[in-house]
Amino acid sequence: MRSASEPSSPRGGDSQHTAAAHAAMDLLGQRWSLRILWELEPGQMGFLELRRRMDNCSSSMLSERLRLLQEAGVIEKNPSRTYELTYAGIRLCQALEPLWEWSQTWASGGRFEHFPPGAGS
């Protein structure tokens, strides 16, 4: 149990913050959204190149996800008809970096032995 002097959790009871977190999780939980961000993180890319890199994603699904991410303001289609991250998308990828690092350990069969002191309790 947290004492009154301890800082509040970023998941505190504030409904505005909760709604924002839920909206972000809904966006990122859509199939292919994270993968698109991953592919665009190094730089801009055209639709055909994105489609080639996204093995089992149909063209119609890719178009739908690109539209969704554009509406959310994390990617944009520039005049040269390539897609790229917006500033918000760059910040989102920075926030996702620990997830990508975790995935490398997980995918290689790495073990997550124990929580560091004070974490997860």
Side-chain angles (χ1 to χ4, degrees):
M1 175 80 47
R2 190 182 317 276
S3 74
S5 63
E6 290 182 80
S8 65
S9 165
R11 293 188 236 177
D14 183 334
S15 63
Q16 187 176 23
H17 287 105
T18 300
H22 288 178
M25 287 185 264
D26 289 345
L27 174 68
L28 297 175
Q30 296 284 325
R31 184 157 187 188
W32 302 110
S33 291
L34 284 171
R35 177 73 182 275
I36 291 168
L37 294 173
W38 171 263
E39 296 296 347
L40 290 176
E41 197 272 332
Q44 59 186 304
M45 191 176 301
F47 182 87
L48 293 176
E49 179 63 16
L50 265 171
R51 173 70 183 90
R52 187 184 69 73
R53 290 176 180 233
M54 310 234 340
D55 317 12
N56 298 315
C57 183
S58 69
S59 293
S60 60
M61 178 58 72
L62 179 57
S63 293
E64 172 63 24
R65 289 299 174 259
L66 289 168
R67 184 190 59 75
L68 182 72
L69 293 168
Q70 286 177 82
E71 288 174 0
V74 294
I75 68 169
E76 63 186 2
K77 188 175 184 179
N78 61 35
S80 65
R81 303 184 53 79
T82 58
Y83 294 90
E84 63 186 335
L85 298 173
T86 61
Y87 179 70
I90 292 167
R91 294 293 312 268
L92 176 56
C93 286
Q94 290 169 343
L96 291 169
E97 190 64 36
L99 174 63
W100 294 335
E101 291 171 6
W102 176 90
S103 71
Q104 294 302 305
T105 302
W106 176 77
S108 66
R111 296 188 54 172
F112 300 96
E113 295 292 331
H114 301 285
F115 286 110
S121 53

